[in-house]
Amino acid sequence: MSPATLPAPVSGDEQTPGCAVVWSPQLADYDFGPYHPMSPVRLTLTHELACEAGLLQRPGVQIIDAPVASRDQLATVHTDAYLDAVARASEPLDLAAHDELISFGIGGDDVPAFRGMHTASARLVGGSIAAVDAIRSGRVHRAVHVAGGMHHARPGRASGFCIYNDAAVAIRHALAAGEERVLYIDVDVHHGDGVEMALWDEPRAITLSLHETGEVLFPGTGFIQDSGGTAAQGSAINVPLPPRTGPDGWLRAVEATVPALARAIRPTLLVTQHGADTHRMDPLADFTVTLEAQRAAMEILRDVADEVCDGRWLALGGGGYAVIDVVPRSWAQLIAVATGDPIPGDDALPDAYVAAESRARLEHGIPDEPGGRCWGDRVPLAQRRPWSEGMDPEDPLDRAIQAARRAAFPEWGLDPFLD
């Protein structure tokens, strides 16, 4: 399968592919309330940092709006009954309605109902669709939508703070518009279960999730034997990793699986999800990854897109619950990687951003962290031994990687021991 040929971007110089950045202040309306882990401050501070660092003024950058997705667009993934339930949850509710909505995953501490829930959630989806359209039009080669990546939402149920599954809807939209094959890569610490489920029987959409094993972490899914529906065997790829996986081991897993599989799959579009909850400070998971490692993974995925699908790359946000200390630096770095050069980890954060961050800390009752005044964690990455030099059978991480390779590689004509 040959990658699609696109016209040159209409903006930016020849060295910098055009990049769309999805933003609207209304994206922050996706708000479960002041005590919920997924505060929209992570979005507003990411935008603030990207602005103050000059990332949105780089050559070729286009800011695009996030429209509200239509019901027909949402229905390509979600059931009518579920869409009706979200609409009901968007208005004031009586107690009986609360009881009925629980069967759709709405209510309680995970996904509490809030006024305007449907519109806010559909806007996140609309942003991902708009990003796909910008890439397919040839105006840009890359797009970033940090408010997207709601990968736990299922066709008929909300889950894991996710209401509508923007990634799955955007991929369905891309395929309907003519994409030959889409590869979705999820590096959130949690398994991308909702995207996998929505695309389980779609052979033109391949989902690859690297995550902390479901044996110990929500959502309890994503094992190596989960490989796609009967009509799409091999289209679901899972790389479950042990708890406490650190930055160098995490990158070793990415490097040992993603490039070889992407070359074999040969997508015409790459969609990636960059949940920042792999970070060592995240309160809801058990990896010990650093900002330096997250940046390296972003660069690997960008290079994969450049190699296998003419640079056609949509990067989404996702999880991340150190909402002030980590997420804005991680996702602003994602914008940097997509729009040009990354920001060195030792570089100081802009003064205006530091002031905005301090105000947000005060508003949210989060103590000041003077160690976070630069773009990285000041933890250099180690020199990693290439997987081609062999695995260590005594290392639980290497055993997990090799198990995933043995399960997935043969489906794509690859040798799990040599490729």
Side-chain angles (χ1 to χ4, degrees):
M1 182 178 298
S2 300
T5 301
L6 290 177
V10 298
S11 63
D13 60 38
E14 293 183 359
Q15 302 301 315
T16 306
C19 182
V21 177
V22 179
W23 180 250
S24 164
Q26 292 172 296
L27 290 168
D29 292 345
Y30 192 89
D31 186 356
F32 293 111
Y35 304 110
H36 195 276
M38 199 164 77
S39 168
V41 72
R42 66 195 195 133
L43 300 178
T44 55
L45 283 180
T46 296
H47 183 255
E48 182 85 16
L49 180 52
C51 287
E52 294 299 334
L55 302 179
L56 305 184
Q57 291 76 44
R58 285 180 166 181
V61 173
Q62 302 178 28
I63 309 301
I64 62 174
D65 194 19
V68 176
S70 70
R71 184 180 177 105
D72 285 346
Q73 289 171 326
L74 296 170
T76 61
V77 166
H78 296 289
T79 66
D80 285 338
Y82 179 61
L83 294 174
D84 291 342
V86 176
R88 289 196 299 277
S90 302
E91 302 297 335
L93 299 171
D94 57 32
L95 291 178
H98 274 291
D99 292 341
E100 184 266 336
L101 291 173
I102 288 292
S103 66
F104 294 99
I106 301 170
D109 295 333
D110 187 3
V111 186
F114 62 90
R115 183 183 292 274
M117 173 183 272
H118 165 77
T119 298
S121 306
R123 189 179 302 281
L124 268 60
V125 179
S128 292
I129 293 172
V132 166
D133 287 341
I135 294 170
R136 284 193 49 77
S137 73
R139 290 164 43 209
V140 297
H141 278 183
R142 304 171 183 164
V144 182
H145 179 30
V146 296
M150 300 293 100
H151 63 164
H152 294 309
R154 300 188 172 203
R157 185 177 177 86
S159 177
F161 315 153
C162 304
I163 300 166
Y164 294 144
N165 198 313
D166 64 286
V169 174
I171 291 169
R172 288 283 186 197
H173 176 78
L175 292 171
E179 286 301 320
E180 296 176 51
R181 185 175 290 178
V182 179
L183 173 59
Y184 170 81
I185 300 177
D186 191 317
V187 295
D188 192 292
V189 75
H190 302 94
H191 176 231
D193 60 325
V195 184
E196 181 183 276
M197 179 181 293
L199 303 172
W200 186 251
D201 291 305
E202 175 51 77
R204 298 172 297 166
I206 294 84
T207 61
L208 195 172
S209 179
L210 298 99
H211 49 268
E212 185 174 354
T213 174
E215 292 178 347
V216 299
L217 188 68
F218 175 89
T221 54
F223 300 103
I224 60 172
Q225 65 268 27
D226 302 328
S227 58
T230 54
Q233 274 296 302
S235 66
I237 302 168
N238 286 292
V239 187
L241 302 173
R244 310 305 298 170
T245 293
D248 301 301
W250 183 67
L251 286 174
R252 181 167 170 79
V254 172
E255 292 170 332
T257 55
V258 169
L261 284 164
R263 293 182 192 115
I265 293 165
R266 300 188 69 188
T268 56
L269 174 68
L270 180 68
V271 179
T272 58
Q273 197 266 23
H274 296 263
D277 45 11
T278 52
H279 194 270
R280 60 186 184 177
M281 290 182 64
D282 197 274
L284 299 186
D286 307 303
F287 278 3
T288 60
V289 172
T290 59
L291 286 163
E292 285 81 1
Q294 290 180 347
R295 184 187 77 180
M298 295 166 189
E299 293 180 277
I300 291 168
L301 294 172
R302 179 195 63 191
D303 293 346
V304 164
D306 287 345
E307 178 184 351
V308 303
C309 52
D310 291 347
R312 304 175 79 232
W313 175 36
L314 167 57
L316 305 172
Y321 310 101
V323 294
I324 292 178
D325 293 317
V326 175
V327 178
R329 288 185 291 164
S330 182
W331 287 352
Q333 188 71 264
L334 178 62
I335 295 171
V337 169
T339 59
D341 293 328
I343 308 295
D346 289 336
D347 279 15
L349 298 172
D351 290 341
Y353 170 76
V354 172
E357 182 187 278
S358 296
R359 292 192 296 271
R361 288 182 185 280
L362 186 63
E363 292 170 5
H364 289 78
I366 297 176
D368 198 16
E369 292 286 346
R373 293 291 190 245
C374 63
W375 282 80
D377 288 320
R378 294 194 173 101
V379 180
L381 294 171
Q383 183 67 39
R384 294 181 300 283
R385 182 171 59 88
W387 187 264
S388 59
E389 292 184 3
M391 65 165 287
D392 178 0
E394 300 299 321
D395 183 352
L397 175 69
D398 273 15
R399 292 200 301 271
I401 295 170
Q402 184 61 7
R405 285 167 57 96
R406 285 199 307 270
F409 274 34
E411 294 281 355
W412 293 99
L414 297 171
D415 188 322
F417 298 96
L418 299 177
D419 289 320

